[in-house]
Amino acid sequence: MEHKIRVLISEEDVNKKINEVAARISKDYEGKEVHLICILKGGVFFTCELAKRLTIPVSLDFMSVSSYGAGTQSSGVVKIIKDLDEPLEGKHVLIVEDIIDSGRTLAYLIEILAKRGPKDIRLCTLLDKPERRVKKQVKVDYTCFTIPDEFVVGYGLDYDQKYRNLPYIGVVEHNS
Ligand code: IMP
Ligand code: MG
């Protein structure tokens, strides 16, 4: 389908906000070590930018789950494609996501990761679309931007696997 990308949040604004959120996290976790769990693939750009700015000790692990097909609608089915390499026992876990939409992915993840004995689990997301939430119990601890119900790309987010590399957040606009 023909479409174009409209800038929603500029690279400069994203950078500024990540600085702020990283400072908050560093303060909240002072004296502790944080274990970041990057949710692939969308969370990878945000995780790297966030991790570089944290002043507390950081360890990193990656998990890949799928909740979407090739389209723009959540299927409600969450599948683990790649599990974590490290155990979570006794760790201060911070899940890092690109976007929280229906909340289905995170509701499921929190449920399974909580059983692995972490000291605590918090959530950090680059974007939040609260209007679309189905799983109301999902509580987000750190949100960079709350956005309206529009399909966005860039900074890790894709449309059919494209545009993840854009350094800003853009909205996909279909030509009619
Ligand atoms: P949820 O389970 O509905 O919260 O969906 C979360 C996942 O859906 C995200 O991690 C993204 O991979 C994908 N997603 C949701 N909204 C968008 C969007 O606007 N653009 C790109 N991917 C999205
Ligand atoms: Mg994702």
Side-chain angles (χ1 to χ4, degrees):
M1 221 189 308
E2 266 200 62
H3 59 271
K4 56 179 197 252
I5 310 296
R6 169 172 53 88
V7 178
L8 180 69
I9 308 166
S10 70
E11 181 174 9
E12 195 192 347
D13 287 348
V14 176
N15 274 330
K16 240 194 279 169
K17 186 60 83 172
I18 298 178
N19 282 338
E20 282 170 33
V21 169
R24 262 179 62 207
I25 294 172
S26 298
K27 191 161 168 271
D28 291 354
Y29 284 84
E30 214 173 289
K32 296 176 191 157
E33 190 173 320
V34 69
H35 188 61
L36 301 183
I37 294 183
C38 169
I39 308 301
L40 297 170
K41 304 171 193 166
V44 77
F45 289 74
F46 177 44
T47 303
C48 294
E49 293 303 319
L50 182 73
K52 287 194 288 186
R53 292 161 169 87
L54 294 175
T55 55
I56 42 169
V58 169
S59 53
L60 266 178
D61 205 347
F62 299 86
M63 190 162 190
S64 182
V65 295
S66 90
S67 61
Y68 269 26
T72 59
Q73 275 291 307
S74 178
S75 64
V77 180
V78 181
K79 196 171 81 187
I80 296 186
I81 313 240
K82 183 219 168 288
D83 205 341
L84 299 171
D85 294 333
E86 313 284 336
L88 296 183
E89 204 120 47
K91 291 179 181 160
H92 297 288
V93 168
L94 183 61
I95 299 174
V96 185
E97 255 286 28
D98 50 359
I99 190 164
I100 304 173
D101 187 33
S102 70
R104 286 192 181 100
T105 310
L106 279 175
Y108 173 78
L109 272 181
I110 292 165
E111 196 185 311
I112 58 161
L113 298 183
K115 292 180 186 150
R116 299 185 188 182
K119 271 209 184 105
D120 43 58
I121 300 183
R122 287 186 192 168
L123 296 184
C124 178
T125 188
L126 179 61
L127 304 170
D128 188 6
K129 275 192 218 172
E131 282 169 44
R132 303 251 311 166
R133 197 76 88 255
V134 175
K135 297 283 180 182
K136 310 270 187 214
Q137 76 271 28
V138 172
K139 191 181 127 281
V140 192
D141 301 279
Y142 305 98
T143 303
C144 291
F145 300 98
T146 299
I147 59 165
D149 180 12
E150 289 183 293
F151 196 81
V152 290
V153 292
Y155 233 91
L157 291 140
D158 74 302
Y159 175 55
D160 263 348
Q161 297 305 323
K162 288 190 282 280
Y163 305 121
R164 291 193 196 275
N165 59 311
L166 296 180
Y168 55 85
I169 311 290
V171 175
V172 178
E173 286 185 339
H174 293 281
N175 307 331
S176 47

